[in-house]
Amino acid sequence: MRQIVRWTALAAIAVASSAMAAPVLMSAEWAAEACRAWNADAGLTGALYESGWAANNKNRAQKILRMARADCKESPQVELQIAVLDRQAHCVAGVPASAPPLDLDVDYLMTAQTARWMEMGRGEYGPMRAMMFGKLSFEGPMIEAMGNMGPFEGFLRLVGKVPGDTASCPK
């Protein structure tokens, strides 16, 4: 009887552990978590509002930051949708990428190999070095991004702050 109770307890722990496992990096679930982490980061919400970055959206409701893992070619992209709310650059959605094409005058597309995303997330190097050495593929308003390098680095660090499983690709 004791053995059965022990195995039942171990099974319950295993089920609970798998339920708490990190979502796949750059999946829809991960993007939702990244959106919450964005909103908890004053360096993103405050600085990107104050610089005018968030308001540069061509009078649309939001600005889009789209991301992908380059080594997961068949996986859907995800995006963070950023809007000005209460004098902050607020993430209003972390979702699978929407169908409309990006407007690269105001929106961003960033892709990198999973290992490179993790390196940037750990702060091993910033966005300037990542782009210069081809570790981060970047499309969007480059001058705007360069004027916001500190917050942009904070955005890349979200990958290190938001747990994500890298053993598989998003589906």
Side-chain angles (χ1 to χ4, degrees), residues 94-115:
V95 295
S98 57
L102 294 174
D103 181 336
L104 295 176
D105 287 341
V106 296
D107 298 326
Y108 295 80
L109 172 61
M110 288 162 276
T111 59
Q113 297 290 323
T114 301

Side-chain angles (χ1 to χ4, degrees), residues 1-37:
M1 181 67 171
R2 224 176 241 210
Q3 189 68 12
I4 293 172
V5 171
R6 189 174 299 138
W7 282 107
T8 303
L10 289 173
I13 291 169
V15 168
S17 295
S18 67
M20 295 186 312
V24 173
L25 180 67
M26 300 210 182
S27 64
E29 297 81 12
W30 181 89
E33 291 296 321
C35 188
R36 284 189 274 285

Side-chain angles (χ1 to χ4, degrees), residues 63 65 70 82 156 160:
K63 184 177 198 87
L65 298 171
I82 311 301
L156 295 176

Side-chain angles (χ1 to χ4, degrees), residues 31-163:
E33 291 296 321
C35 188
R36 284 189 274 285
W38 173 291
N39 291 333
D41 187 323
L44 295 171
T45 59
L48 290 174
Y49 168 77
E50 291 168 12
S51 73
W53 178 89
N56 179 28
N57 60 21
K58 286 193 173 178
N59 296 316
R60 300 176 310 172
Q62 75 272 336
K63 184 177 198 87
I64 297 171
L65 298 171
R66 198 167 282 173
M67 302 167 280
R69 291 166 56 188
D71 46 329
C72 292
K73 295 194 184 313
E74 301 301 315
S75 294
Q77 297 173 342
V78 293
E79 63 188 33
L80 301 184
Q81 299 172 359
I82 311 301
V84 174
L85 297 173
D86 300 324
R87 299 176 50 89
Q88 290 188 341
H90 203 78
C91 182
V92 295
V95 295
S98 57
L102 294 174
D103 181 336
L104 295 176
D105 287 341
V106 296
D107 298 326
Y108 295 80
L109 172 61
M110 288 162 276
T111 59
Q113 297 290 323
T114 301
R116 302 298 178 235
W117 278 114
M118 301 313 293
E119 291 165 358
M120 291 181 285
R122 289 190 297 269
E124 292 180 20
Y125 46 85
M128 189 66 78
R129 179 176 171 202
M131 288 184 286
M132 282 178 32
F133 290 103
K135 296 177 182 209
L136 175 68
S137 173
F138 174 93
E139 295 179 51
M142 181 64 77
I143 292 177
E144 178 183 69
M146 290 178 72
N148 289 283
M149 241 347 114
F152 185 38
E153 184 167 351
F155 162 70
L156 295 176
R157 299 281 309 267
L158 284 180
V159 176
K161 291 179 182 177
V162 178

